[in-house]
């Protein structure tokens, strides 16, 4: 795990402990610079050591250590909750099993050659976030657009060049206070 990832994780811990982070944006209105502030909240539950071990077993230890470390240090739940909805959600064991059962059903029904483990949801459009575990590259994490069938996920991510590591995605999420997570 990189120092930048650990630093971002510590920043998120602080925000979660306060249950708030302020996101400020600057805009020019009638020749004056205006600062708008938005209070973002968190609804996070810790993951027990037992649940984390069950998640590792369920995911067959296929996911990067940084993801498991995130769960152990932060937990699961909703992150950067604005006025209407959270930016993204990370699953605990029950939601992980429930959502991945749907993924596996789609894979079997569609005779898809790739395998995915979805660890959460991007809440702006209801897109899954997760890993393509058959992709032989450290950059196997993405936000998968709900508009495409699962058999096109890899092709679309390749075309968009949107593959990244979990660490890269997470660091950008913290740097932008959840504003750049797609």
């Amino acid at each position: 795990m990189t120092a930048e990832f650990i630093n971002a994780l510590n920043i998120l811990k602080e925000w979660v402990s306060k249950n708030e982070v302020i996101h400020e944006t600057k805009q020019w209105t009638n020749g004056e610079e205006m600062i708008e502030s938005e209070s973002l909240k968190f609804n996070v539950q810790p993951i027990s050591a037992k649940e984390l071990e069950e998640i590792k077993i369920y995911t067959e230890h296929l996911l990067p250590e940084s993801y498991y470390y995130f769960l152990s240090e932060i937990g699961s739940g909703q992150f950067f909750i604005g006025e209407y909805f959270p930016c993204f959600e990370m699953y605990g064991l029950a939601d992980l099993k429930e959502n991945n059962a749907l993924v596996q059903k789609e894979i079997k029904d569609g005779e898809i050659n790739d395998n995915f483990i979805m660890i959460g949801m991007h809440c702006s459009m209801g897109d899954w976030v997760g890993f393509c575990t058959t992709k032989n590259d450290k950059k196997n994490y993405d936000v998968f657009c709900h508009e495409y069938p699962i058999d096109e996920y890899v092709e679309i991510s390749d075309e968009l060049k949107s593959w990244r590591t979990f660490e890269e995605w997470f660091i950008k999420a913290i740097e932008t206070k959840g504003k750049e997570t797609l």
Side-chain angles (χ1 to χ4, degrees), residues 70 77-80 86-90 121-123 169 173 178 181:
F70 170 88
Q78 298 175 330
F79 296 84
F80 301 105
C87 177
F88 62 88
E89 179 177 344
M90 291 293 182
M121 179 177 67
H122 196 283
C123 300
W169 177 83
T181 53

Side-chain angles (χ1 to χ4, degrees), residues 50-51 53-59 67 90-105 116-120 128:
K50 181 179 187 260
E51 184 176 356
E53 194 53 40
E54 289 178 31
I55 288 171
K56 288 179 178 182
I57 291 166
Y58 178 77
T59 61
Y67 164 69
M90 291 293 182
Y91 298 147
L93 181 61
D95 289 331
L96 189 70
K97 286 181 174 181
E98 180 182 329
N99 285 282
N100 281 282
L102 298 171
V103 171
Q104 294 309 312
K105 182 179 179 341
F116 299 89
I117 298 177
M118 301 305 178
I119 61 166
W128 269 323

Side-chain angles (χ1 to χ4, degrees), residues 132-145:
C132 177
T133 58
T134 48
K135 185 170 172 43
N136 293 326
D137 189 339
K138 287 186 178 192
K139 293 186 177 199
N140 67 344
Y141 181 82
D142 207 356
V143 177
F144 300 102
C145 182

Side-chain angles (χ1 to χ4, degrees), residues 101-116:
L102 298 171
V103 171
Q104 294 309 312
K105 182 179 179 341
E106 278 192 57
I107 288 172
K108 282 182 183 175
D109 291 350
E111 298 179 20
I112 298 166
N113 294 329
D114 291 298
N115 198 17
F116 299 89

Side-chain angles (χ1 to χ4, degrees), residues 17-85:
S17 73
K18 294 177 182 176
N19 192 29
E20 181 179 51
V21 63
I22 304 297
H23 183 261
E24 292 182 338
T25 54
K26 296 179 183 179
Q27 296 181 339
W28 287 90
T29 306
N30 298 327
E32 281 189 53
E33 185 179 43
M34 306 294 286
I35 297 176
E36 290 185 12
S37 295
E38 178 183 20
S39 173
L40 303 170
K41 304 288 184 185
F42 303 88
N43 181 9
V44 177
Q45 300 78 41
I47 299 276
S48 69
K50 181 179 187 260
E51 184 176 356
L52 179 60
E53 194 53 40
E54 289 178 31
I55 288 171
K56 288 179 178 182
I57 291 166
Y58 178 77
T59 61
E60 300 176 3
H61 296 267
L62 292 171
L63 306 183
E65 200 54 43
S66 57
Y67 164 69
Y68 298 124
Y69 190 69
F70 170 88
L71 289 178
S72 71
E73 293 293 308
I74 302 295
S76 64
Q78 298 175 330
F79 296 84
F80 301 105
I81 304 168
E83 186 176 352
Y84 300 108
F85 52 83

